[in-house]
Amino acid sequence: MSDFFSTLLDEFPQVRAGLWVTLQATVLGALLALVLSFVLGLMAGSRLLLVRGVSRTVVEFFRGTSLYIQLFWLYYAMPPLTGYELTPLLCGVVAFGLNYGAYGSEVVRGAINSVPRGQYEAALALNLTPSRRMRKVILPQAWVQMIPSFTNLLIQLLKCTPLLWLISAADLMTVIQQVRDRTGETLTAYLTLLAAYFVLAYALTLLMNLLERAAKRRLGLDTGAKSLFKSRTATTTVTGGTA
Amino acid sequence: MNGFDWNAAGEALPLLLEGFRVTLLATVLGTLVAAVLGLAIAVAGRAPSKLVTVPVKAVMEFVRATPLLVQLVGAAAVFSSVEPLTIGIVVLGVHYATYTSEVYRAGIDGVPKGQWEAARALSLPVRRTWQAVILPQAVRNVLPALGNYAISMFKETPFLAVITVQEMVFEARKYGSEHFAYTEAFTLAGLVFLVASYPTSLLMRKLEKRLGH
């Protein structure tokens, strides 16, 4: 038991580097996913059939094919086909971003649709341009509704980052498994790894709760400090069709 | 730079479909485990004693917030004598049970309070209250949500390849490395997933609409 933890401490620089890879993949992947969510989500609300169709096709494609296959395709299949090679970390960021962007676009679409109809009409009556209507009236209200679902997706994205180990990026999982191989303490190693992910997930949840509170305050809603510690993994994210 | 080799694709497809049978088997059995265990967790979560509900919730939160891949690889390493497919089905089932339990919970919460009161007024024992009154009403509404989790589990079955379950992605990797045809193998595997999961998700959406969600 103590053998594992003393080796873990000895290897601290590697562990820190592994943690850094995991965090980078999570945060950069999430940022890419966020951008794509808005692009695809807003496109899904377009009046033009072509724009809607493109968004639907992209979303169904990335939700329908498994993330695992997308990641492996980028890492193994793309280089011989195109001559381009991405670093493992970048493969991860792109695959996570595309996959969760597709799921996130449903969140954006749903949240925009759930803003009461009267808000659109009021903005129209005030003669706001479509882009100001979206930015000043619709999105600030929809944003509050999006955050809990985005939190769920973020945790799910974090939970996918151990896949990086399979495409030889030295993430947290890789590093801790190396320590396990050295010490032979399998159970301790995996429990430590699970605990590490649990702590990361909870930390991300707290951050997202802060963000939600700030967004609510802007709308004049205050929820008090208690809601900050609520674990968001408790809600389900099935948004129409596939989960 | 060798482009897409159609011959290799034609050769890989039967192998992939062979693996696909295992993929489907794991999905169906994993969903069964998740459906049964999820119900058990949801019922246990409503137990009158905190001695039951608190540990159940804690374990559930932990399982849900941690990566499936780590759980799989960890379980396979700790129980190294157990067959990989069995481990895969159990771990998938347990992981998804923490989600399905939430679905059941919502279904149980949706049963009107009067039904509990009526059952008590008839002095039904706890067991009969659940069996004859609450569950028949709660379970009907959760089917579409369970279906969605089945689809989502289906898309995570490739993780099983890591613990050497010979499902489709395992075959794709094997073929890819033997013939140096990763492009063909993984492209086809992705398409098979798309072809299988898209109609299913359309079907689920229809079912959801019919049940008025």
Side-chain angles (χ1 to χ4, degrees):
Chain A
M1 181 92 170
S2 60
D3 199 23
F4 173 80
F5 288 111
S6 65
T7 315
L8 198 69
L9 275 181
D10 288 345
E11 300 292 325
F12 186 67
Q14 257 101 322
V15 175
R16 201 175 47 194
L19 185 63
W20 179 231
V21 170
T22 295
L23 278 177
Q24 267 180 304
T26 309
V27 172
L28 296 177
L31 286 179
L32 179 60
L34 184 68
V35 173
L36 276 173
S37 302
F38 273 95
V39 172
L40 293 170
L42 289 174
M43 279 170 73
S46 164
R47 265 176 303 169
L48 298 170
L49 181 67
L50 183 71
V51 178
R52 281 207 311 272
V54 169
S55 159
R56 256 300 18 111
T57 313
V58 172
V59 169
E60 289 302 343
F61 180 81
F62 284 105
R63 293 199 319 175
T65 54
S66 168
L67 168 67
Y68 188 106
I69 292 180
Q70 288 155 16
L71 183 69
F72 272 53
W73 197 91
L74 281 176
Y75 186 70
Y76 286 110
M78 199 184 72
L81 199 65
T82 62
Y84 280 108
E85 202 169 327
L86 303 177
T87 62
L89 179 60
L90 197 55
C91 277
V93 170
V94 173
F96 301 150
L98 287 171
N99 194 272
Y100 283 93
Y103 286 106
S105 75
E106 295 284 288
V107 173
V108 172
R109 190 175 60 102
I112 288 178
N113 281 343
S114 73
V115 173
R117 192 72 211 151
Q119 297 286 331
Y120 280 94
E121 285 158 8
L124 211 59
L126 288 170
N127 212 9
L128 296 183
T129 60
S131 95
R132 276 182 71 82
R133 194 161 68 210
M134 202 39 116
R135 273 186 304 130
K136 296 286 181 192
V137 182
I138 309 301
L139 280 185
Q141 297 181 63
W143 176 235
V144 170
Q145 305 219 22
M146 289 177 208
I147 298 175
S149 306
F150 278 153
T151 308
N152 276 325
L153 288 177
L154 180 63
I155 304 304
Q156 286 180 23
L157 195 156
L158 168 73
K159 283 163 54 185
C160 287
T161 56
L163 280 172
L164 289 172
W165 158 58
L166 298 172
I167 57 169
S168 61
D171 72 325
L172 189 62
M173 181 160 185
T174 315
V175 174
I176 291 194
Q177 289 198 115
Q178 279 163 3
V179 178
R180 174 199 89 127
D181 290 343
R182 198 100 49 86
T183 56
E185 290 176 49
T186 306
L187 189 62
T188 322
Y190 284 111
L191 285 179
T192 309
L193 192 53
L194 287 174
Y197 281 107
F198 183 75
V199 171
L200 282 178
Y202 196 64
L204 286 177
T205 309
L206 290 183
L207 278 177
M208 292 298 280
N209 287 352
L210 276 174
L211 194 68
E212 186 183 2
R213 195 182 181 205
K216 278 192 172 157
R217 277 201 166 153
R218 246 193 330 255
L219 295 183
L221 307 161
D222 199 354
T223 43
K226 220 176 159 188
S227 65
L228 288 181
F229 299 100
K230 201 154 83 184
S231 162
R232 287 293 183 186
T233 49
T235 44
T236 43
T237 25
V238 184
T239 39
T242 42
Chain B
M1 281 293 281
N2 58 359
F4 194 90
D5 181 356
W6 288 99
N7 286 336
E11 209 175 84
L13 190 60
L15 294 170
L16 292 184
L17 291 179
E18 186 75 22
F20 190 65
R21 284 199 357 236
V22 180
T23 301
L24 280 183
L25 181 73
T27 309
V28 170
L29 294 181
T31 304
L32 268 179
V33 173
V36 173
L37 191 61
L39 182 59
I41 296 174
V43 174
R46 294 184 69 100
S49 162
K50 280 209 159 152
L51 278 175
V52 180
T53 57
V54 172
V56 166
K57 282 218 175 87
V59 171
M60 213 180 75
E61 287 283 323
F62 187 74
V63 171
R64 203 198 322 231
T66 54
L68 176 65
L69 185 64
V70 179
Q71 291 166 3
L72 271 174
V73 176
V78 173
F79 305 102
S80 51
S81 56
V82 183
E83 207 214 340
L85 182 60
T86 314
I87 289 192
I89 288 165
V90 171
V91 173
L92 266 182
V94 170
H95 191 86
Y96 273 86
T98 63
Y99 290 101
T100 54
S101 70
E102 212 58 40
V103 173
Y104 284 116
R105 200 183 55 113
I108 293 169
D109 285 346
V111 176
K113 212 163 169 263
Q115 299 285 329
W116 292 93
E117 285 159 5
R120 176 177 288 177
L122 293 169
S123 76
L124 291 184
V126 179
R127 220 185 123 91
R128 295 256 323 137
T129 305
W130 279 104
Q131 268 181 357
V133 182
I134 307 302
L135 289 183
Q137 299 182 69
V139 168
R140 199 187 46 186
N141 286 334
V142 307
L143 285 179
L146 286 185
N148 284 330
Y149 280 118
I151 297 171
S152 152
M153 186 189 292
F154 169 66
K155 280 181 276 185
E156 281 193 337
T157 49
F159 284 24
L160 300 184
V162 180
I163 57 168
T164 70
V165 174
Q166 307 195 352
E167 47 69 75
M168 186 169 64
V169 173
F170 183 89
E171 298 290 345
R173 273 174 91 176
K174 203 170 94 184
Y175 185 85
S177 66
E178 279 168 5
H179 298 81
F180 207 69
Y182 281 116
T183 312
E184 291 77 12
F186 278 118
T187 307
L188 276 181
L191 286 178
V192 173
F193 263 94
L194 189 63
V195 166
S197 74
Y198 185 55
T200 324
S201 74
L202 281 186
L203 208 73
M204 293 314 302
R205 221 171 293 175
K206 230 177 217 168
L207 186 66
E208 249 169 79
K209 280 220 178 95
R210 181 166 303 172
L211 286 173
H213 278 266

